[in-house]
Amino acid sequence: MKVLVTGSTGFIGRRIVDRLREAGFEMRIASRHPERVEPAGDVVAMPGFDATEDAFLAMMSGVTHVVHAAAQNNARDASGADYMYPNGVLTGKLACGAAKGAGGRFIYLSSIRAVAGAGFNGTIDEKTIPAPQCAYGRSKREGEIRTLEAFASRPTDATALRLPPIYGEGMKGNLATLMRLGGMPMALSLPAAAFSGVRSLMSCEAAARTAVYLLSRQQPLRPVYVACALPPLPVLSIIRAFRDGYGYSLKLSKVPAGLMRAVLT
């Protein structure tokens, strides 16, 4: 079986490639910059979002499954279109090509942002009604919709794997910000109430293993999966873990939470 992988040089994608290789899968790598992919092998250029359907269908020759990990995220000053074209439109065209040209499964790495915004408090599962609150979240939700529409005649062969914030070497976004906060060498004193939220996380290795697992599990795929490590962690525990890693202590103060929020904003 041969797996087409997109985003193979990305934060999660390169781990997916390693896990697929360990599992004995053949691979074809689709990249916007095929000349940068190491090692050389079955590498093809990823068509743009404005490419014809035939261009995506041609990539599927000899391919059984697809793991779509490529995405636009954490981009400074990105517009809604900057997210929508790669995450929504291109995903839909790739899924259509896979539905017609590959007989196996299509695993789309989506995000919990397709369901809720960063300020959401509560439990999210596969039954939670999507209500994305940002351009990135809306684009990932559009990618989910177009993927499932493309596989309407084979609904158990495609799924959207919604991932929480992912940690590991090379991470970006809010977790990287917390790591920088935790890495400040000076004594750090924080108001406990301002960081009382609880968040679900997942390691990049666990995310990669989950994507590969979905390719080979015997049961039919569900339309959506929500993945995370258990149990969820208080934000203060995350900061404390970074402080411990740097060998620094963490002190909690009684600074009013409202004041701290205003300063951070």
Side-chain angles (χ1 to χ4, degrees), residues 58-161:
M59 286 198 306
M60 303 301 162
S61 177
V63 166
T64 308
H65 304 302
V66 176
V67 178
H68 182 34
Q72 173 70 277
N73 54 25
N74 296 310
R76 287 174 176 260
D77 302 322
S79 67
D82 292 333
Y83 284 114
M84 186 60 71
Y85 285 127
N87 296 346
V89 177
L90 186 144
T91 296
K93 290 191 173 185
L94 183 66
C96 285
K100 294 178 180 179
R105 293 180 167 179
F106 188 96
I107 312 299
Y108 172 48
L109 268 61
S110 187
S111 168
I112 208 68
R113 291 289 172 263
V115 182
F120 178 86
N121 286 312
T123 301
I124 294 175
D125 60 21
E126 287 84 354
K127 296 179 181 180
T128 303
I129 297 175
Q133 300 297 307
C134 62
Y136 170 70
R138 288 188 286 272
S139 70
K140 296 301 281 186
R141 176 56 183 156
E142 183 66 20
E144 293 181 355
I145 292 171
R146 295 192 182 210
T147 293
L148 298 179
E149 287 178 346
F151 278 82
S153 63
R154 296 163 47 198
T156 60
D157 282 340
T159 191
L161 176 60

Side-chain angles (χ1 to χ4, degrees), residues 12-25 27 204-213:
I12 302 175
R14 61 180 182 267
R15 274 89 175 183
I16 290 174
V17 168
D18 291 341
R19 300 294 82 76
L20 286 170
R21 186 175 291 116
E22 288 177 357
F25 285 96
M27 279 177 285
C204 54
E205 289 291 343
R209 290 196 302 270
T210 302
V212 174
Y213 166 74

